[in-house]
Amino acid sequence: MMVMDELENKQWYRELKGKVDDEILLYQDKRGYLWDKVHSQHLRYFTNNSCGYPFTSHLALGLVVMSNHNLNARTIYQSVRDVSNGLKALFQELKLASIHDFDADIYLSDYLRGETLPSHSAGQRSRFFKLYKAWVRKVHKWSSTKLTTEQQEMFAPFLLPQTTLDSRDFNVGKLAVEATKSKRKSETDAISKEFIKIRAEGGFRLNQVRRLRQKYLEAVAVVKANNYPLPFDFAYLENEKREEISKELFSFRLWDRASFVLHHSEHYGEATIKNAKARKFTYSEENNEYFVEFLKVEMVDNRTGEPLEETEGFWFLPILEHQLTGNWFQSLSEEQINEKLKILEMYGYRESNSKGVSVPFPTTNGIISQGAFIYRSQKYADGILMNVEGLYITALFGATALDIFTSSGARLGEVAQIYLGKGCLDQPIITDPKTNTTKTSYTFRAIPKGRDEPAVFYVTKDTFDLITEIAFYLRDVHYEGSIPEVEFNYRNKIEGITRPEQPYLFQFHGKQFEHKAFSSILNFICFGLIYETQDKKLVKLKPHLLRHGFATHAVQAEELPIDVVAMILNQKDLEITGYYSQPTQSQVANVVTDFHTTMTTQIDMMKEVLRQPEEIQALFERQRKISGPFSKTVGGTCVTNKICPIKFACVGCGTKIPEPEQKHELLDYLDWAEQTKVFYEEKGFNLEVMKIKKTIHDAKVELKEIALIEEYRRDKENEPRLIIKKP
């Protein structure tokens, strides 16, 4: 009786009783029940996804064996997930009713050749086969070395069949690697041309939501100060003081819960209307919340100030209009689900041949959540209902994450480690000994993948400004006091990664972001940024793709040496950095075009570039003595702490930060270059003409980068005027 009481107190027993054979469920060794070592996350996955199949008990045995071998939590999770999914697909396709019908060599051979489940990619086939084979090998080894003969006979019926096949005989592994690399470079090609614009777009979008929030708060203050009744109409004019940009009039209606119910009373029951009138329960003052109804955006004539036509407005409107946040598919009909899946497919958040339901905007940690009241009430509104505070903090988190990914090339697991305080964020001031001028560097420290000690990652001043904005919001608005130290939550449950409790930057409602929350904020800030591969497949912006984009842009566009990029990315293996930074097809096409143009010249180019080893050594020594970090140069600041990577050709160098305050230097430099080009053309110096054309191109690129920085700063300072439509 006492034993049964003990078992009933164990979660794994309550959840798996009757689903897994008792021989496996109740087995103990000298340390106790094997199931006590199974991670709660793995137990939950197994219970929800692997029960009720002919191989359930066989998988259960493998799960407890691996859990008691102290393997990496992520390894176990991926194994149980992929082996379970693979067996389910095979048994369904082959119509197998029993594990005894599963002839491993025959069926896995057909699977590896693509004859069974041909829709599976080479990567899927290779991954399943390797995990299945490793899974079976571990369980069989455990049985033969840890069990008595009698116990081996007892567990023999629950051993998955072994296979003698070798994946190398099917070439599937090589095909999988090549397919993965090809897909990654194809996607990188799609974004590399727009890498700087992607980085800037996050800032512009955040500015747009900042202005929405500011005018919303002003409207709430006006209503409270004057005791105006709700609803309350207000508007604001974007770019009112900027003549060169079209003006847009944004129109809204301010509500609270009670006013919305009372003005749409035909849709609510008597009890709800009564509570709204009395301001009780969810409609009480302490539970009250303001929200806005977005009505329209109109282009305004710059001369007359009159509206001309309606325009698109906010980039995120389709997400709210079609209610795509959270587990949107719940309580919907199949037809309604398919309609929304088509919308997600249109924006690149679902592949056309995908069978599952896509959830690109999960509300994990409360991020992007519009609240149950707004979600249920949307169908009664004329416009689109918005929880402005939720949109603002989601956009702020998203723009900050995008900024960090595109400025540092860091992995998501490294960005997740950023916390507010000493030991992570730093602004070291460095003095240039030649000029005695000082510059500030902006860095954060995190432990890179596969390492034990923190490394330095470089970002920009704008990044630190965004981090500061998050810190103030969390402290003053969200927590109304101080930012708590929270448990490191990112991949902790699945991968077993542990870090000390800290006031982590990416946290909300007292919890650090999980992987889904990071996905949500990045998908939100990048929604509608459509990029296509050369075979017309839509590309979804993800942290690892941005890392590839960063490396490719640094090496191919900015011409940074691979070893320098490897240090920036904190990669030990230069071959991996070389793969990350390989030129894309578009870049190769551009280079070949330039090369063919060069071939038409009659100059012996080798005589122009060949130098003796002594000359190269002298150049090395001279650069070693005079190069240094944070030196002032034409149009910006040099930040390399290595020997100059491009022989002091500072214009166009990727180790220089363009400074808007030094724009005039670049303009003077460009004017000189244009005049020099004319001189060389008149003299017939074709090689020098090509060189100076490259210089002119680089100068113009830097001027474009400075223009983006200037536009972002102007846009950030844009303060629209609140237009009140008095009741």
Side-chain angles (χ1 to χ4, degrees), residues 172-406:
V172 68
K174 183 179 179 181
L175 288 174
V177 171
E178 290 176 351
T180 299
K181 286 186 175 182
S182 176
K183 180 183 179 184
R184 183 71 70 192
K185 294 314 295 183
S186 178
E187 292 177 339
T188 303
D189 185 30
I191 70 167
S192 60
K193 300 184 290 295
E194 306 292 333
F195 195 74
I196 298 299
K197 290 183 180 179
I198 291 172
R199 175 171 167 74
E201 186 64 27
F204 293 137
R205 290 181 167 194
L206 174 58
N207 288 343
Q208 193 180 41
V209 180
R210 279 191 184 116
R211 293 190 286 271
L212 165 63
R213 178 176 181 254
Q214 183 58 41
K215 297 305 116 180
Y216 155 75
L217 293 175
E218 288 180 20
V220 171
V222 167
V223 167
K224 288 182 175 180
N226 296 279
N227 200 27
Y228 286 147
L230 296 179
F232 176 77
D233 286 358
F234 69 96
Y236 60 85
L237 193 62
E238 285 271 31
N239 306 312
E240 184 174 10
K241 298 179 181 179
R242 300 184 62 184
E243 297 297 331
E244 75 280 11
I245 297 180
S246 299
K247 297 172 176 55
E248 294 180 327
L249 182 66
F250 287 72
S251 298
F252 301 89
R253 186 170 293 145
L254 182 68
W255 298 95
D256 66 3
R257 292 180 181 179
S259 61
F260 190 88
V261 168
L262 296 177
H263 278 76
H264 301 83
S265 57
E266 67 274 17
H267 302 294
Y268 294 93
E270 291 183 10
T272 301
I273 296 171
K274 182 179 179 181
N275 290 333
K277 286 181 178 179
R279 296 272 175 173
K280 293 170 61 177
F281 305 117
T282 189
Y283 307 102
S284 64
E285 290 302 323
E286 56 269 24
N287 293 326
N288 188 36
E289 65 171 352
Y290 290 96
F291 56 93
V292 301
E293 182 179 4
F294 168 73
L295 301 175
K296 58 183 175 180
V297 180
E298 299 168 290
M299 298 290 290
V300 174
D301 188 289
N302 285 352
R303 184 173 54 83
T304 65
E306 293 298 317
L308 296 175
E309 60 179 348
E310 288 195 26
T311 186
E312 294 179 358
F314 301 103
W315 83 92
F316 55 79
L317 288 179
I319 300 175
L320 303 186
E321 181 182 1
H322 300 289
Q323 296 189 314
L324 300 175
T325 61
N327 293 329
W328 54 266
F329 53 88
Q330 294 178 344
S331 304
L332 295 182
S333 67
E334 185 176 351
E335 182 181 357
Q336 291 171 320
I337 290 174
N338 288 333
E339 287 178 2
K340 294 193 177 187
L341 288 177
K342 289 178 182 177
I343 296 168
L344 290 172
E345 185 178 323
M346 181 173 64
Y347 285 99
Y349 290 100
R350 183 175 184 269
E351 294 185 7
S352 57
N353 58 353
S354 177
K355 295 181 180 179
V357 173
S358 301
V359 184
F361 310 104
T363 54
T364 311
N365 291 79
I367 289 298
I368 208 177
S369 174
Q370 293 293 286
F373 182 86
I374 288 178
Y375 188 85
R376 291 194 302 265
S377 303
Q378 176 59 62
K379 57 182 174 288
Y380 308 135
D382 297 325
I384 298 176
L385 302 183
M386 297 179 176
N387 178 331
V388 177
E389 287 294 319
L391 295 173
Y392 164 70
I393 191 57
T394 303
L396 178 56
F397 275 128
T400 304
L402 181 64
D403 189 88
I404 296 172
F405 290 134
T406 54

Side-chain angles (χ1 to χ4, degrees), residues 105 137 325 372 396 424 426 499 530 568 586 668 673 680 683:
D105 281 349
R137 185 175 63 251
T325 61
L396 178 56
C424 181
D426 197 10
R499 299 283 184 268
I530 304 296
I568 294 172
S586 297
D668 292 342
Y680 287 150
K683 294 292 185 180

Side-chain angles (χ1 to χ4, degrees), residues 607-676:
K607 292 181 181 179
E608 300 291 334
V609 299
L610 282 178
R611 289 170 292 167
Q612 296 301 316
E614 294 83 2
E615 184 182 351
I616 296 174
Q617 182 64 30
L619 176 63
F620 178 92
E621 289 297 326
R622 182 166 61 86
Q623 291 179 186
R624 183 177 62 83
K625 292 177 181 178
I626 65 176
S627 64
F630 300 97
S631 302
K632 185 174 182 295
T633 185
V634 176
T637 303
C638 174
V639 295
T640 182
N641 58 356
K642 300 286 181 184
I643 293 172
C644 176
I646 56 172
K647 303 180 291 297
F648 300 104
C650 298
V651 174
C653 177
T655 65
K656 183 181 75 177
I657 298 176
E659 302 281 2
E661 293 75 16
Q662 294 170 236
K663 178 180 177 181
H664 63 282
E665 298 171 355
L666 270 175
L667 291 171
D668 292 342
Y669 186 87
L670 181 61
D671 183 58
W672 165 82
E674 294 280 9
Q675 294 179 37
T676 304

Side-chain angles (χ1 to χ4, degrees), residues 557-570:
E558 304 294 353
E559 299 181 352
L560 290 185
I562 286 182
D563 58 344
V564 174
V565 176
M567 291 185 66
I568 294 172
L569 296 177
N570 283 286

